[in-house]
């Protein structure tokens, strides 16, 4: 197993995006894409020139083959991914957003992705990486995926890797809000960087300000907390203080994937040794670009694309 800059894991799903506006049950034509928060991060890092890996389980079906082929074509290492002969790859239907949050309907119960378990190959892949990125989604999918998350974190810690955690909560996957909060915050307490959205931060901490949310996770032991607040921008908090970024103005097509882009940008910046201010700017830029296309990963930039975007933004008038 060759060394990786970063590795993540989760469920990959086929995605069918509506080609026309309206309720999903009225849409007649769809375009295929790939969905999965963790796959988005892995692709985002690969496009920025990092050696990224994705671990997951897909079905022995066309959707599974498509997911693995797409990730490999993006330069993502899938050597520790497995194929399940007994369970299908999940999929989702996604409405045409027209500049906002789209309607999304999932078909993932009992999927191959929810049956992910540890192996020598997955352990070795995680141990090889400089950084591990987790989200809260595997915590909710099944007992086995939650156990995988705990094991992955332990392996990363034992091998000196840094760990980022995006709560990325999916309330409908949990049996209760209390379980959601307890399990999510238990993982957050073991991460170096915690990346909550402002709304989910309120649910998880009971605090309604970015400073309050950040203080909660800094007290738990995080070294950095990035609080995302949509069009209002984002803030990065450490024990030394707070940095803010107002966000970049872009033509928003679909907001899904913005948080994944933000995570990819932040991880990329720290892998490159950038300081906190530059890391927050890169994260904000990649997150903004992710909203400019229909597909969850389509707007994620290459390094050249990112550099061109930030250079143009720096030259733009401020009024």
């Amino acid at each position: 197993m060759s060394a990786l800059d970063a590795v993540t894991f989760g469920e990959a799903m086929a995605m069918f995006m509506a080609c026309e506006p309206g309720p999903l049950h009225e849409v007649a034509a769809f375009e295929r894409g790939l969905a999965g928060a963790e796959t988005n991060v892995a692709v985002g890092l690969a496009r920025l020139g990092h050696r990224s890996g994705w671990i997951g389980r897909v079905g022995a079906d066309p959707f599974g083959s498509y997911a693995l082929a797409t990730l490999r074509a993006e330069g993502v290492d899938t050597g520790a991914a497995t194929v399940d002969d007994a369970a299908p790859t999940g999929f989702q239907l996604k409405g045409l957003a027209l500049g906002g949050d789209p309607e999304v309907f999932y078909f993932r119960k009992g999927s191959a992705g929810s049956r992910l378990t540890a192996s020598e190959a997955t352990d070795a892949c995680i141990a090889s990486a400089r950084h591990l990125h987790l989200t809260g989604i595997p915590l909710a999918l099944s007992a086995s995926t939650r156990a995988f998350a705990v094991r992955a974190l332990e392996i990363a810690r034992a091998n000196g890797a840094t760990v980022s955690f995006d709560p990325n909560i999916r309330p409908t996957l949990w049996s209760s809000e209390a379980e959601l909060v307890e399990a999510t915050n238990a993982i957050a307490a073991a991460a170096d960087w915690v990346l909550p959205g402002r709304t989910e931060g309120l649910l998880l901490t009971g605090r309604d300000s970015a400073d309050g949310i950040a203080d909660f996770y800094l007290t738990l032991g995080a070294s950095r907390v990035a609080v995302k607040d949509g069009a209002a921008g984002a803030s990065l908090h450490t024990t030394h203080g707070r940095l803010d970024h107002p966000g970049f103005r872009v033509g928003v097509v679909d907001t899904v994937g913005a948080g994944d882009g933000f995570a990819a940008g932040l991880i990329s910046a720290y892998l490159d040794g950038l300081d906190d201010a530059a890391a927050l700017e890169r994260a904000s830029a990649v997150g903004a670009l992710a909203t400019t296309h229909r597909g969850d990963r389509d707007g994620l930039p290459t390094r050249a694309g990112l550099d061109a975007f930030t250079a143009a933004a720096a030259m733009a008038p401020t009024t």
Side-chain angles (χ1 to χ4, degrees):
M1 176 68 67
S2 60
L4 297 171
D5 291 321
V7 66
T8 188
F9 61 91
E11 182 176 23
M13 290 177 288
M15 173 174 63
F16 294 91
M17 300 174 285
C19 295
E20 57 196 64
L24 283 172
H25 70 276
E26 296 179 356
V27 173
F30 293 83
E31 178 184 357
R32 187 183 63 173
L34 180 67
E38 302 84 7
T39 61
N40 294 337
V41 174
V43 168
L45 287 166
R47 289 187 183 177
L48 291 173
H50 302 285
R51 296 163 298 171
S52 70
W54 175 82
I55 301 170
R57 194 174 182 92
V58 299
D61 49 48
F63 292 165
S65 298
Y66 166 70
L68 293 179
T70 300
L71 290 171
R72 290 167 184 158
E74 291 280 4
V76 175
D77 189 317
T78 61
T82 53
V83 176
D84 191 323
D85 292 327
T89 308
F91 70 97
Q92 64 173 250
L93 302 180
K94 179 180 178 182
L96 185 59
L98 299 176
D101 298 331
E103 178 186 6
V104 181
F105 196 89
Y106 297 94
F107 298 81
R108 70 195 316 174
K109 186 175 182 180
S111 69
S114 69
R115 291 156 57 99
L116 177 63
T117 56
S119 67
E120 289 185 6
T122 62
D123 286 356
C125 182
I126 295 164
S128 79
R130 295 169 54 196
H131 183 82
L132 170 68
H133 179 67
L134 305 94
T135 82
I137 299 172
L139 304 180
L141 289 177
S142 69
S144 67
T145 54
R146 190 182 304 186
F148 189 99
V150 172
R151 183 180 180 88
L153 200 155
E154 292 173 347
I155 293 170
R157 283 288 183 219
N159 286 274
T162 49
V163 177
S164 55
F165 176 61
D166 183 346
N168 216 329
I169 59 175
R170 300 288 191 271
T172 57
L173 294 177
W174 292 90
S175 60
S176 71
E177 184 176 300
E179 182 189 22
L180 181 163
V181 172
E182 180 181 5
T184 303
N185 284 337
I187 295 295
D192 296 298
W193 319 330
V194 184
L195 287 58
R198 176 80 175 270
T199 301
E200 64 186 0
L202 171 60
L203 173 62
L204 292 168
T205 70
R207 304 180 183 186
D208 61 2
S209 69
D211 285 336
I213 293 165
D215 182 67
F216 180 92
Y217 290 114
L218 289 171
T219 300
L220 283 182
S223 61
R224 296 182 175 101
V225 180
V227 182
K228 300 162 290 184
D229 198 9
S235 53
L236 183 62
H237 307 251
T238 70
T239 55
H240 302 294
R242 169 176 174 163
L243 294 170
D244 289 275
H245 195 286
F248 291 91
R249 291 188 177 183
V250 295
V252 176
V253 174
D254 188 319
T255 59
V256 175
D260 305 328
F262 185 96
L266 195 73
I267 296 164
S268 168
Y270 288 132
L271 288 171
D272 284 346
L274 301 186
D275 63 21
D276 287 338
L280 181 58
E281 179 175 13
R282 181 177 292 184
S284 299
V286 180
L289 286 167
T291 70
T292 61
H293 289 69
R294 290 177 60 210
D296 294 3
R297 76 183 196 286
D298 295 345
L300 295 171
T302 61
R303 184 63 64 102
L306 174 63
D307 290 345
F309 174 75
T310 53
M315 295 293 292
T318 58
T319 57

